[in-house]
């Protein structure tokens, strides 16, 4: 009933009594089929919240219905016994008490930001959207394309019921965490300041939002269809007294002419310099670089591998291969972005070469395996050094931080002329596995597979000593342990006692442990970036952050937690990282998984939200005034993928004009060199540079 929909909780006792009397009278009307019913037609609320046209056959009861006695000219209205009315009142109070507890649970445990007097339609729509369905303002509900459903006629379609079947629309649904809201721009997101709200760019290339945004625009006040030919150029057909609006399969592309200039760098192959510090296939590389130059690419990005340069003995550096590479790049008048890669290569997604850590480090590891990250079962990960030895002199008399600093100082001295000439425009600082600031919580070599939550990596003796000290400082010495119910690499949150809804992650010990675990990550970044700032004074430095987007729509954010990002639904885990980067004037290099969601078939099973994660991370950076460098996560050679990259790099209608500092394309290979792929890539570079292109879809 309409009145039931308008109130769930928060009414006063007087209002309750008055509303219940109304409910009782309406129940009388429903049950007494032989009685005369007084039905008035309320005005309908359209999509924009304005008053629409009314209908004579509306099924809503007028709020002013009065009991009547006998009427000589018509039927007599039956009066219910007072006891039955009282029972109805009790049932109504009981129902409202249950509803209040449901809403309280949704707000507390699911971070549903429902208003106190939420309409029942709001609750149902919220749950439907959380399950991945699309709910239009008029109540029309259908599966999103990400669920693999096929709308009518194989195209995106909105079914607009007649006005007589419209559901009375209350205030628009308040945004939910991880669900697309009604905000129109990133500024609206900043104004809301609600952690975890997904506020994506409106983009015609996002298949999940395209249907919803276009369909919504095709509806007018009161649900009456507007002239869709003028709005979206689609067709309208009448089927069973319902209006079906067909959205065209090809939508106009966004024009990036005269937008800010974003430099485009191309990442060179991982093994461009081999383990002997020799440049591999210089003639073939020169040919490819000349092609990139003809496309007006700004520069190249290259990994300087610790395992190549300082391979055999401490502080014996061999820069020969990189010296030859840099000379070639300089002659072509390219800019350089150089990554200080203190991790090993091989075994991760996209790795096509094997470059281990230096041999002398591996020798130390054989006698002291605790220098590597360790999981609960004691399995070591030799991809990078544990942050527990940042200040431990276990590397031939040096700490890990000192080893990193000596390496960076050697690079600066070797290539000082490239710094002075401005050829080296940025230095990326490797801070963990894959060069990213995170724990190696999801190693494929240990059996991890997407979308497993991963495992904590804090069981080497040095990190355990750090944990024990933190627990003693807190006055809870028995907390000097990792959680014993956090599952394994391929567990799902609900299968564990630690990460399930209402699990131990939100208890006293869970909060202590996760805060300590994430603080170790932040302290490591703080120490290494402080020394990088000394070594590369005057040059932009950057830290790389990965996008752990699976299980983002759960309360615990389990996959992020095991990676070191303490980001549950009631805490912003990226703001503290952004503050640390701001302290050292470092840029954020973010691997933008959301730019390739079109390559992923379905995120619903893993409750993933790459766009929501990206918005949270990018806004944390921009709120602290940190420049952002973009980087694609998966290979891309299609126009649709490039358009997604452009939308992420240059925000639509952003009043602050926010955009990426630069963009790094992964990566240079033979596939990119194919003619058709080069044509698409050239077009992408022009649009990143803000140049006009002629072949925009019209």
């Amino acid at each position: 009933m309409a009145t039931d929909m308008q109130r769930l909780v928060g009414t006063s006792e007087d209002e309750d009594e008055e509303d219940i009397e109304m409910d009782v009278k309406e129940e009388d009307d429903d049950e007494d089929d032989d009685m005369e019913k007084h039905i008035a037609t309320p005005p309908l609320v359209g999509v924009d919240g304005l008053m629409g046209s009314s209908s004579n056959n509306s099924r809503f009861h007028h709020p002013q219905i009065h009991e009547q006695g006998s009427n000589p000219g018509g039927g007599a209205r039956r009066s219910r016994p007072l006891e039955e009315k009282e029972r109805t009142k009790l049932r109504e109070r009981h129902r409202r008490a249950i509803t209040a507890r449901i809403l309280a649970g949704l707000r507390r445990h699911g971070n549903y930001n429902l208003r106190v007097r939420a309409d029942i339609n709001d609750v149902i729509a919220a749950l439907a959207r959380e399950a991945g369905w699309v709910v239009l303002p008029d109540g029309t509900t259908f599966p999103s394309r990400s669920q693999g459903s096929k709308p009518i006629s194989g195209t995106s379609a909105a079914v607009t019921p007649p006005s007589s079947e419209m559901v009375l629309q209350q205030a628009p649904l308040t945004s939910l965490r991880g669900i697309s809201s009604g905000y129109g721009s990133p500024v609206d997101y900043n104004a809301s300041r609600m952690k975890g709200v997904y506020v994506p760019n409106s983009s015609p290339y996002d298949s999940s939002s395209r249907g919803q945004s276009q369909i919504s625009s095709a509806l007018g006040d009161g649900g009456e269809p507007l002239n869709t030919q003028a709005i979206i150029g689609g067709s309208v057909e009448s089927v069973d007294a319902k209006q079906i609006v067909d959205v065209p399969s090809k939508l106009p592309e966004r024009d990036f002419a005269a937008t800010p200039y974003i430099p485009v760098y191309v990442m060179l192959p991982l093994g461009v310099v081999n383990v002997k510090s020799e440049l591999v296939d210089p003639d073939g590389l020169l040919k490819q670089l000349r092609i990139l130059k003809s496309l007006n690419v700004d520069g190249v990005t290259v990994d300087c591998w610790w395992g190549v340069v300082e391979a055999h003995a401490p502080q014996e550096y061999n820069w020969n291969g990189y010296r030859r590479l840099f000379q070639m790049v300089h002659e072509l008048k390219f800019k350089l972005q150089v990554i200080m890669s203190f991790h090993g290569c091989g075994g991760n997604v996209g790795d096509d070469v094997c470059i281990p850590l230096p041999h002398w480090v591996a020798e130390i590891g054989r006698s002291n395996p605790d220098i590597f990250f360790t999981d609960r079962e004691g399995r070591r990960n030799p991809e990078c050094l544990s942050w527990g030895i940042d200040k431990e002199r276990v590397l031939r008399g040096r700490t890990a931080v000192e080893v990193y600093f000596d390496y960076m100082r050697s690079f600066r001295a070797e290539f000082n002329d490239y710094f002075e000439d401005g050829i080296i425009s940025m230095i990326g600082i490797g801070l963990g596995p894959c060069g990213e600031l995170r724990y190696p919580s999801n190693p494929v070599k240990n059996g991890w597979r997407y979308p497993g939550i991963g495992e904590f990596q804090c069981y080497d003796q040095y990190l355990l000593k750090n944990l024990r000290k933190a627990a003693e400082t807190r006055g809870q010495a028995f907390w000097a342990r990792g959680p014993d119910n956090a599952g394994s690499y391929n567990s799902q949150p609900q299968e564990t006692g630690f990460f399930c809804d209402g699990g131990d992650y939100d208890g006293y010990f869970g909060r202590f442990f996760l805060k300590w675990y994430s603080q170790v990550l932040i302290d490591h970044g703080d120490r290494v970036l402080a020394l990088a700032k000394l070594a590369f004074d005057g040059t932009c430095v950057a830290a790389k952050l990965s996008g752990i987007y699976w299980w983002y729509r759960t309360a615990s954010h389990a996959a992020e937690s095991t990676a070191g990002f303490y980001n549950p639904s009631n805490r912003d885990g990226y703001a503290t990282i952004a503050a640390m980067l701001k302290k050292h004037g470092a840029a954020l290099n973010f691997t933008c998984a959301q730019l390739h969601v079109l390559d992923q078939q379905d995120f619903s099973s893993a409750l993933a939200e790459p766009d929501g994660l990206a918005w949270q991370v990018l806004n944390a950076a921009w709120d602290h005034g940190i420049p952002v460098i973009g980087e694609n996560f998966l290979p891309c050679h299609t126009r649709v993928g490039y358009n997604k990259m452009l939308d992420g790099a240059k925000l639509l209608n952003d009043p602050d004009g926010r955009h990426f500092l630069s963009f790094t394309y992964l990566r240079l290979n033979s596939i990119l060199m194919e003619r058709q792929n080069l044509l698409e890539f050239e077009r992408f570079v022009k649009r990143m540079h803000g140049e006009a292109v002629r072949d925009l879809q019209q």
Side-chain angles (χ1 to χ4, degrees), residues 61 145 361 434 490 496 561 657 681 686:
H61 296 288
R145 286 193 174 188
V361 173
C434 297
N490 294 311
T496 73
S561 295
F681 184 67
K686 286 183 178 180

Side-chain angles (χ1 to χ4, degrees), residues 569-580:
S569 58
N570 57 355
R571 185 180 190 272
D572 188 348
Y574 298 100
T576 51
I577 296 175
M580 182 269 293

Side-chain angles (χ1 to χ4, degrees), residues 180-474:
S180 180
S181 72
Y183 296 111
S185 71
V187 171
D188 297 330
Y189 169 91
N190 289 333
S192 74
R193 303 303 299 158
M194 182 179 16
K195 181 259 169 202
V197 177
Y198 163 31
V199 192
N201 242 359
S202 176
S203 169
Y205 319 114
D206 188 344
S207 59
S208 63
S209 63
R210 176 175 60 198
Q212 183 173 355
S213 61
Q214 293 294 327
I215 290 166
S216 299
S217 67
L219 297 177
D221 295 343
E224 295 294 329
L226 301 177
N227 183 353
T228 55
Q229 298 286 349
I231 297 175
I232 57 176
S235 61
V236 180
E237 300 176 0
S238 178
V239 179
D240 296 332
K242 297 179 180 179
Q243 297 295 323
I244 299 178
V245 182
D246 292 332
V247 179
S249 58
K250 290 186 178 180
L251 296 172
E253 290 186 270
R254 183 177 158 196
D255 188 1
F256 290 93
T259 55
Y261 185 103
I262 297 180
V264 177
Y265 291 77
V266 175
M267 178 74 77
L268 296 183
L270 293 170
V272 66
V273 175
N274 63 23
V275 293
K276 298 180 180 180
S277 196
E278 299 171 339
L279 184 61
V280 176
D281 189 16
D283 294 335
L285 177 62
L286 179 59
K287 180 180 179 180
Q288 291 179 331
L289 291 179
R290 284 173 175 166
I291 293 174
L292 293 181
K293 187 64 179 179
S294 70
L295 304 182
N296 292 320
V297 170
D298 296 271
V300 296
T301 304
V302 61
D303 290 277
C304 276
W305 296 102
W306 180 32
V308 169
V309 177
E310 197 181 359
H312 302 292
Q315 295 182 284
E316 291 185 7
Y317 306 104
N318 182 357
W319 299 103
N320 292 340
Y322 292 104
R323 169 62 70 174
R324 188 175 179 186
L325 172 63
F326 290 3
Q327 288 173 347
M328 184 184 298
V329 171
H330 180 38
E331 290 170 359
L332 292 173
K333 295 181 170 43
F334 274 129
K335 294 285 187 179
L336 262 172
Q337 291 182 342
V338 184
I339 312 299
M340 300 286 102
S341 298
F342 296 114
H343 62 286
C345 180
N348 291 312
V349 177
D351 289 354
D352 54 6
V353 296
C354 181
I355 303 175
L357 296 186
H359 300 308
W360 61 273
V361 173
E363 291 178 1
I364 296 173
R366 280 190 284 271
S367 60
N368 182 12
D370 284 291
I371 67 174
F372 301 123
F373 283 108
T374 308
D375 65 17
R376 187 175 183 84
E377 300 298 322
R379 288 168 290 197
R380 315 289 183 170
N381 190 329
E383 182 181 353
C384 58
L385 297 179
S386 167
W387 302 331
I389 64 170
D390 276 0
K391 297 188 290 185
E392 299 286 341
R393 297 191 176 278
V394 295
L395 301 176
R396 304 281 179 88
R398 292 186 296 167
T399 68
V401 170
E402 290 172 343
V403 169
Y404 304 146
F405 183 51
D406 290 340
Y407 182 87
M408 291 186 287
R409 284 196 307 176
S410 174
F411 177 85
R412 177 59 192 261
E414 180 72 20
F415 299 106
N416 186 60
D417 50 334
Y418 289 89
F419 284 95
E420 292 181 350
D421 294 341
I423 296 171
I424 296 178
S425 60
M426 190 210 71
I427 299 291
I429 310 300
L431 296 172
C434 297
E436 299 166 344
L437 181 59
R438 63 174 176 86
Y439 288 88
S441 58
N442 51 3
V444 175
K445 66 187 71 174
N446 286 352
W448 175 86
R449 296 294 183 271
Y450 174 86
I453 62 175
E455 290 191 19
F456 294 112
Q457 305 289 318
C458 59
Y459 294 96
D460 62 83
Q461 63 167 313
Y462 302 104
L463 284 180
L464 286 177
K465 182 175 70 173
N466 189 311
L467 175 59
R468 185 162 53 252
K469 181 178 179 181
E472 292 172 352
T473 301
R474 178 68 185 273

